[in-house]
């Protein structure tokens, strides 16, 4: 990176700027305060607009489903007509809703656990050893990182059908557990671990795998947390692939189940809106407890220049 | 079981003399018993890397290579349930005259370009604002949280809310808003332009916060000395931004552009949530949506495969071009 700070062009810029500064000199303090106020106002307005959909769904959960379907959703609520019937229905008569909830929790936990274990295992191989075709495999990981999964979903669907894995948890998570993105992230992290540590383990007679499980794995906790959140969010919110794989209503996850309530007749909108809101609860709780980890986890993919 | 690699012998010799308590492994492993081949494998440094990366290779073969191979083969066939015929390049020829295919490509490209236009500069500008010394810290923390929250929602939940906010009823939020300006209620999701607008708003709502965090993390890495030097040279704010900030965070900008390109090209669920599998005049039809329709809805696997193969080649080409331009491979080799 080169930053030009000298030269005639910059000189002219600087000159212009000095004139500007002269002009501003009357009241620099007030100028700064005005700009500060402008920024604060802009940020608050944008933040509030961003939160509107959350407020809308919250308000909607106290209204009649069929009416929402007909008239749409807005930010006001007639308190005389507000009721908690939708919540009562959610907990007493919501059909498969909690079955979907359970499926989502189960698939997300299995997928995250296996992804962390397998991807770190693979990443260790890439980070700590020299072997033939290493460069080829590394390029393969990089390529897979940016090929959208959707591009292979159709033939993969047929493949899963042949394996007999349709309508099965395994069919949903198996394609994702050797995650290229996660492998790449762990590999970057592991290259920072001193190799002397491994040598010490070898001298002590620990097997190559023992070194990984007993020495390296415990050192990877921060990276694990970040990837748990990234993969967890992806699994919890995944829609397209489970939609293909999970065919029966009992096996569906929350996103597909909720989507199946979205009929043109609007007869399920009561459950739909309260169910959608409730599906956010676990994620929001986890977010407010582990806020910092969430942000670093979900933005962990960025390559460091 | 007498075959022992030289490495193993050397390593075993290195261990000689170590008391069991120190060696940290069960003593039977060290005895030359038959049946120890597997255990010996665990101690071999030659085999280890291949065993470590084996899960990736298996996963690649099973879930990428095999399906893609199969797709290529099926793309030369005419397939209906119970009947398969080799038809050569017929499926590929069909694509050229297929209006829906081109519409889907057009819709996806348009969506991808427009998301780039809104999802890179705006979050970047907001990140610069947050990173500046002006304004209160509490407001900034609140702002960051508020912007990030939508990223936690699934497309399904976001889609449901947006559908209801942009519904046709006169009571729907957006119709109330335009009502303030005396505009008649709009059927937002029924025509191309407003439909696209809703899609873009949905994308912006869900992703702006994440991109903002990427940019913010990058901005905080830029060394203060650079800004101090610029200030000493009397550079204006604008000039500092172009000459110092932008070049310093270029890798992050490239990364965000990359994920936005692939996110945009592979968009489907957003459209699926707003319109279902078919939209009025196909305004919501995307590449992946078309694949879904051909394969899952129609079972036209031969043609679906051909479309899939063409798109995969396209994506791989963009991918390689981008990685080469951004110098990714050079960095890997180092």
């Amino acid at each position: 990176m080169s930053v030009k700070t000298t030269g005639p062009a910059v000189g002219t810029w600087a000159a212009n700027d000095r004139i500007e500064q002269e002009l501003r000199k009357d009241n620099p303090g007030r100028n700064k305060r005005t700009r500060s106020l402008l920024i604060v106002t802009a940020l608050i307005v944008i933040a509030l607009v961003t939160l509107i959909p959350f407020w809308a769904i919250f308000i909607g959960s106290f209204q009649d489903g069929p009416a929402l379907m007909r008239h749409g959703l807005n930010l006001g609520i007639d308190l005389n007509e507000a009721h908690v019937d939708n919540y009562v229905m959610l907990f007493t008569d919501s059909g498969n809703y909690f079955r979907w909830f359970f499926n989502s929790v189960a698939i997300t936990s299995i997928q995250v656990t296996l992804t962390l274990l397998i991807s770190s295992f693979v990443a260790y191989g890439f980070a700590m050893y020299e072997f033939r075709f290493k460069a080829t495999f590394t390029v393969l990981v990089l390529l897979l990182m940016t090929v959208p999964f959707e591009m292979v979903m159709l033939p993969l669907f047929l493949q899963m059908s042949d394996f007999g894995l349709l309508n099965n948890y395994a069919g949903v998570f198996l394609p994702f557990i050797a995650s290229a993105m996660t492998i790449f992230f762990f590999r970057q992290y592991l290259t920072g671990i001193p190799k002397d540590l491994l040598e010490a383990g070898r001298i002590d007679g620990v097997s190559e795998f023992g070194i990984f499980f007993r020495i390296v794995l415990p050192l990877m906790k921060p990276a694990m947390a970040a990837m748990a959140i990234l993969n967890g969010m992806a699994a919890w919110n995944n829609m397209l692939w489970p939609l293909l794989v999970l065919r029966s209503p009992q096996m569906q996850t929350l996103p597909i189940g909720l989507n199946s309530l979205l009929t043109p007749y609007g007869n399920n909108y009561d459950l739909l809106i309260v169910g959608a809101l409730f599906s956010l609860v676990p994620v929001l709780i986890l977010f407010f407890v582990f806020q910092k980890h969430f942000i670093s986890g979900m933005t962990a993919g960025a390559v460091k220049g | 079981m007498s075959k022992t690699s030289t490495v193993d012998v050397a390593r075993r010799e290195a261990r000689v003399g170590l008391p069991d308590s120190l060696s940290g492994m069960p003593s039977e492993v060290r005895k030359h018993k038959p049946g120890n081949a597997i255990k010996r494998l665990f101690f071999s440094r030659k085999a280890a890397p291949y065993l470590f990366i084996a899960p990736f290779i298996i996963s690649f073969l099973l879930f990428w290579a095999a399906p893609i191979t199969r797709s290529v083969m099926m793309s030369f066939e005419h397939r209906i349930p119970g009947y398969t015929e080799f038809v050569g390049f017929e499926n590929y020829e069909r694509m050229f005259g297929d209006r829906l295919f081109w519409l889907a490509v057009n819709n996806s490209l348009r969506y991808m370009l427009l998301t780039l236009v809104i999802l890179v500069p705006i979050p970047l500008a907001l990140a610069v604002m947050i990173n500046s010394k002006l304004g209160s810290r509490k407001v900034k923390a609140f702002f960051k949280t508020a912007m990030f929250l939508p990223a936690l929602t699934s497309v399904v939940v976001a889609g449901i809310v947006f559908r209801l906010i942009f519904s046709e009823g006169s009571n729907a939020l957006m119709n109330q808003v335009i009502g303030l300006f005396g505009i008649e209620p709009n059927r937002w999701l029924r025509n191309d332009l407003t439909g696209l607008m809703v899609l873009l708003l949905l994308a912006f709502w869900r992703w702006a916060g994440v991109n903002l965090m990427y940019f913010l993390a990058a901005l905080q890495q830029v060394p203060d000395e650079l800004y101090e030097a610029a200030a000493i040279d009397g550079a204006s704010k604008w000039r500092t931004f172009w000459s110092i900030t932008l070049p310093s965070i270029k890798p992050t900008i490239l990364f965000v552009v990359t994920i936005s390109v692939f996110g945009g090209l592979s968009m489907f669920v957003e459209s699926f949530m707003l319109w279902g599998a078919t939209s009025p005049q196909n305004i919501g039809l995307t590449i992946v949506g078309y694949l879904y329709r051909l394969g899952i809805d129609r079972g036209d696997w031969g043609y679906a495969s051909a479309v899939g193969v063409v798109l995969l080649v396209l994506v791989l080409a963009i991918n390689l071009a981008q990685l080469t331009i951004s110098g990714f491979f050079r960095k890997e080799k180092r």
Side-chain angles (χ1 to χ4, degrees):
Chain A
M1 186 194 64
S2 69
V3 182
K4 287 181 198 145
T5 47
T6 52
V10 177
T12 330
W13 273 89
N16 283 344
D17 211 54
R18 243 166 256 137
I19 297 167
E20 264 178 60
Q21 279 170 0
E22 290 295 321
L23 290 174
R24 278 199 214 121
K25 246 179 194 163
D26 310 329
N27 44 18
R30 214 176 95 196
N31 199 322
K32 210 171 179 181
R33 242 176 294 138
T34 326
R35 285 193 17 208
S36 212
L37 197 70
L38 266 175
I39 289 183
V40 166
T41 320
L43 292 183
I44 291 181
V45 171
I46 300 171
L48 291 179
V49 172
T50 305
L51 292 175
I52 283 178
F54 289 104
W55 173 251
I57 192 172
F58 177 69
I59 282 289
S61 69
F62 297 102
Q63 298 172 25
D64 270 332
L68 281 180
M69 160 79 194
R70 264 197 313 280
H71 304 306
L73 186 59
N74 59 49
L75 305 185
I77 182 164
D78 182 350
L79 283 175
N80 294 319
E81 286 185 14
H83 55 72
V84 291
D85 295 359
N86 298 342
Y87 288 88
V88 174
M89 181 180 164
L90 176 71
F91 289 107
T92 55
D93 179 31
S94 54
N96 282 321
Y97 184 83
F98 283 98
R99 176 75 213 200
W100 300 333
F101 207 96
F102 173 80
N103 290 337
S104 271
V105 171
I107 291 179
T108 303
S109 2
I110 303 173
Q111 184 171 327
V112 170
T113 313
L114 290 179
T115 306
L116 292 186
L117 205 64
I118 292 188
S119 300
S120 59
F121 192 77
V122 174
Y124 180 79
F126 275 115
M128 296 305 183
Y129 296 94
E130 292 303 325
F131 52 92
R132 275 187 84 188
F133 305 120
K134 180 175 171 176
T136 319
F137 287 128
T138 309
V139 169
L140 206 58
V141 173
L142 290 175
L143 270 183
L144 290 194
M145 255 168 72
T146 41
V147 177
F149 172 78
E150 287 83 353
M151 298 291 160
V152 293
M153 69 174 184
L154 286 187
L156 190 60
F157 168 78
L158 293 178
Q159 183 109 339
M160 286 299 176
S161 166
D162 289 352
F163 291 162
L165 287 177
L166 290 190
N167 218 8
N168 188 314
Y169 286 171
V172 180
F173 62 72
L174 277 182
F176 301 103
I177 54 176
S179 147
M181 157 77 227
T182 312
I183 291 172
F184 186 74
F185 182 81
F186 282 152
R187 195 202 70 156
Q188 299 293 85
Y189 186 85
L190 283 172
T191 40
I193 287 181
K195 291 203 167 132
D196 301 354
L197 217 58
L198 317 185
E199 243 4 275
R202 286 191 186 115
I203 289 164
D204 281 352
V206 185
S207 78
E208 297 297 312
F209 299 87
I211 292 172
F212 170 71
F213 284 109
R214 284 154 59 180
I215 302 176
V216 177
L217 214 50
L219 292 174
M220 291 179 73
K221 270 183 201 149
M224 289 279 179
M227 286 300 105
I229 285 161
L230 186 77
N231 286 292
M233 288 301 299
W236 181 259
N237 289 335
N238 195 5
M239 158 103 190
L240 184 52
W241 182 241
L243 181 70
L244 300 189
V245 174
L246 303 172
R247 312 305 282 182
S248 76
Q250 282 78 29
M251 287 306 289
Q252 289 176 348
T253 56
L254 266 179
I256 336 172
L258 286 173
N259 177 59
S260 73
L261 296 176
L262 204 60
T263 59
Y265 317 106
N267 46 343
N268 291 317
Y269 271 52
D270 304 300
L271 181 59
L272 177 70
I273 196 134
V274 76
L277 182 64
F278 193 73
S279 78
L280 291 177
V281 171
V283 182
L284 289 181
I285 291 175
L286 285 175
F287 174 73
F288 283 110
V289 178
F290 300 108
Q291 193 160 342
K292 282 223 172 79
H293 296 279
F294 257 84
I295 291 174
S296 62
M298 290 185 66
T299 51
V303 275
K304 293 258 153 58
Chain B
M1 287 299 125
S2 59
K3 264 193 197 167
T4 318
S5 79
T6 46
V7 178
D8 278 354
V9 172
R11 309 228 13 262
R12 220 166 253 122
E13 280 165 1
R15 279 200 301 272
V16 168
L18 275 176
D20 273 6
S21 56
L22 263 183
S23 72
M25 58 166 212
S27 54
E28 80 244 29
V29 176
R30 293 197 270 149
K31 290 176 191 156
H32 289 260
K33 251 198 230 164
N36 272 356
I38 293 171
K39 276 171 186 157
R40 226 171 290 136
L41 196 64
F42 282 0
F43 281 86
S44 152
R45 280 178 78 172
K46 257 205 176 116
Y50 297 101
L51 289 174
F52 272 113
I53 68 163
F56 170 72
I57 295 167
I58 294 168
S59 166
F60 169 75
L61 291 176
L62 275 183
F63 303 126
W64 289 89
I68 291 172
T69 314
R70 180 178 190 156
S71 208
V72 171
M73 274 154 54
M74 285 199 309
S75 73
F76 296 108
E77 292 166 355
H78 179 64
R79 282 179 162 250
I80 45 169
Y83 174 77
T84 303
E85 181 193 6
F86 182 83
V87 293
F89 283 92
E90 203 174 272
N91 287 323
Y92 289 93
E93 284 159 22
R94 186 174 148 198
M95 231 177 289
F96 286 102
D98 183 350
R99 201 185 55 83
L100 279 182
F101 170 73
W102 292 109
L103 180 69
V105 170
N106 181 45
N107 282 348
S108 285
L109 284 177
R110 187 177 69 166
Y111 174 82
M112 183 267 278
L113 287 174
L114 289 172
T115 47
L116 276 186
V117 170
I118 58 172
L119 273 169
V120 179
I122 300 175
L124 180 58
L126 291 172
V128 170
M129 231 193 251
I130 302 252
N131 201 43
S132 79
K133 292 186 178 67
L134 299 169
S136 102
R137 286 186 116 180
K138 272 187 185 160
V139 169
K140 286 177 178 173
F142 166 69
F143 177 79
K144 280 193 281 183
T145 309
M147 291 297 283
F148 195 77
L149 280 180
L152 305 173
T153 64
S154 68
V155 189
V156 177
V157 174
I160 291 167
V161 182
F162 271 67
R163 223 172 134 137
L164 288 169
I165 289 177
F166 285 93
S167 93
E168 292 168 13
S170 55
N171 274 331
L173 178 62
M174 283 318 282
N175 279 335
Q176 282 188 337
V177 170
I178 60 169
L180 293 178
F181 301 98
I183 305 170
E184 291 291 302
N186 196 340
R187 303 169 83 189
W188 299 97
L189 297 175
R190 291 282 170 152
N191 71 63
D192 191 32
L193 212 64
T194 49
L196 178 64
M197 195 193 82
V198 179
L199 271 180
L200 289 173
L201 275 176
L202 180 59
F204 187 78
W205 186 69
R206 284 191 71 232
W207 287 113
V210 177
N211 288 358
L212 173 80
M213 292 303 167
Y214 280 127
F215 289 135
L216 206 54
L219 286 174
Q220 283 159 358
Q221 300 281 319
V222 183
D224 277 341
E225 295 87 66
L226 289 180
Y227 290 118
E228 280 158 22
I232 289 166
D233 285 351
S236 70
K237 282 252 156 69
W238 192 238
R239 177 70 181 173
T240 311
F241 175 76
W242 282 103
S243 306
I244 293 182
T245 312
L246 270 191
S248 310
I249 62 169
K250 197 175 133 207
T252 303
I253 297 179
L254 274 176
F255 172 77
V256 171
V257 168
T258 311
I259 54 170
S260 305
V261 166
F262 292 110
L265 283 178
S266 58
M267 189 274 282
F268 164 61
V269 182
E270 282 83 348
S271 156
F272 189 71
M273 285 313 300
L274 292 181
W275 289 288
T278 49
S279 49
Q281 289 98 48
N282 292 306
I283 54 175
L285 184 68
T286 65
I287 295 174
V288 177
Y290 195 47
L291 281 177
Y292 182 88
R293 185 186 293 183
L294 289 174
I296 306 297
D297 284 354
R298 300 234 183 100
D300 191 352
W301 289 102
Y303 186 47
S305 299
V307 172
V309 168
V310 167
L311 295 172
L312 191 66
V313 170
L314 187 79
V315 166
L316 280 176
I318 299 178
N319 217 332
L320 281 172
Q322 198 156 17
L323 287 175
T324 314
I325 291 169
S326 64
F328 215 88
F329 289 123
R330 254 178 293 135
K331 216 164 70 192
E332 269 318 303
K333 271 180 198 144
R334 234 195 289 140

